[in-house]
Amino acid sequence: MANKIFVSYKHKDSKVKPILNSSISVITTARHYVDVIEELLDETDHLYKGEREGEDIGSFVDTTIGSKLGDKIFDSSVTIVLISKGMKEDRSEKEQWIWEISYSLREQTRLGGRSKSNAILAVVLPDEYGDYSYFMTANSACNSITYKAGELFQILRDNMFNLKNKEDNIRECNGTTVYAGEPSYIKVIEWDKFKHNSNYYLEKAINIK
């Protein structure tokens, strides 16, 4: 089934692994990963509803940006959030771009219609060294993955490991809590897995919703 996909990300974050392009020599940012996502979605039935390359709205006032992106989110059913090493700035979270995530989670009434909450898939980008350990590390002893959720915006933290009645889905291992199954509303996957099977992980997020 085709779904409309919005992508939320820190546009100018350059603390990401370079994407090689033989024809252009530029500093890779999170925006370049969005371009790849567009290409991946072109190979599926899903439709991309985010900003297009060259669609520069950075010079618009905040209310105009909110209106234009709000329309795109309203008309989508899945939001991909790109987690990147430099996604957070040292200032109030309310002053940053995370309103897109909040908007995606709400049921909205506008334009004469109603939009339900989006499914959300968090895709973790490799940092400038090609590493994911700034956010996630493998725990081989417990056969699990440890997420540094404290590094995220609060709205992302609040929607991870938030399964109701989760007692049957947890176990203790070496003094840490290990979750089984899908304990979060926001599904998390690293970029290298997502890019090879994007449709599978999008469907996972949709099923969780």
Side-chain angles (χ1 to χ4, degrees):
M1 178 179 175
N3 286 273
K4 296 178 181 179
I5 315 295
F6 181 84
V7 183
S8 182
Y9 61 102
K10 177 63 179 295
H11 195 287
K12 296 182 179 179
D13 185 6
S14 59
K15 294 182 179 180
V16 295
K17 181 180 178 180
I19 295 178
L20 299 179
N21 188 323
S22 58
S23 61
I24 301 177
S25 179
V26 296
I27 296 175
T28 299
T29 66
R31 170 68 232 189
H32 293 94
Y33 281 84
V34 179
D35 296 337
V36 177
I37 290 174
E38 285 190 64
E39 295 173 1
L40 292 172
L41 293 179
D42 284 343
E43 299 174 2
T44 71
D45 292 332
H46 301 304
L47 302 174
Y48 176 72
K49 291 293 296 183
E51 277 183 277
R52 296 287 180 181
E53 184 179 8
E55 185 183 6
D56 184 8
I57 63 175
S59 61
F60 294 169
V61 297
D62 289 346
T63 52
T64 302
I65 293 173
S67 177
K68 286 183 174 292
L69 294 183
D71 289 346
K72 292 176 182 291
I73 298 170
F74 183 86
D75 192 37
S76 65
S77 55
V78 182
T79 296
I80 295 175
V81 178
L82 298 186
I83 294 176
S84 54
K85 190 175 180 179
M87 68 188 289
K88 287 182 66 176
E89 297 179 12
D90 188 19
R91 58 192 177 102
S92 170
E93 292 190 5
K94 293 182 179 179
E95 298 174 359
Q96 300 182 58
W97 54 275
I98 56 170
W99 73 267
E100 299 170 4
I101 305 169
S102 176
Y103 196 100
S104 297
L105 286 165
R106 297 192 197 121
E107 291 192 358
Q108 303 286 345
T109 301
R110 58 182 295 179
L111 304 176
R114 186 168 183 82
S115 174
K116 296 183 178 180
S117 301
N118 279 13
I120 298 187
L121 177 66
V123 178
V124 185
L125 302 184
D127 68 11
E128 63 267 47
Y129 307 108
D131 194 6
Y132 293 99
S133 62
Y134 71 91
F135 176 70
M136 56 196 302
T137 55
N139 184 339
S140 57
C142 296
N143 190 29
S144 64
I145 298 174
T146 299
Y147 298 108
K148 299 177 182 178
E151 302 296 319
L152 300 177
F153 292 109
Q154 182 175 347
I155 194 167
L156 291 173
R157 298 197 305 268
D158 288 348
N159 285 280
M160 292 180 182
F161 305 107
N162 60 334
L163 178 70
K164 295 179 180 178
N165 303 317
K166 57 188 175 185
E167 289 76 13
D168 294 336
N169 295 76
I170 60 176
R171 60 185 172 88
E172 296 299 319
C173 179
N174 294 338
T176 62
T177 301
V178 178
Y179 292 82
E182 300 290 352
S184 305
Y185 184 81
I186 298 178
K187 170 72 178 175
V188 178
I189 191 65
E190 58 263 52
W191 171 258
D192 286 296
K193 290 183 179 179
F194 171 77
K195 71 179 181 180
H196 290 301
N197 205 348
S198 59
N199 194 60
Y200 173 79
Y201 291 107
L202 286 167
E203 292 296 335
K204 275 270 192 181
I206 293 166
N207 288 337
I208 291 171
K209 173 196 169 183

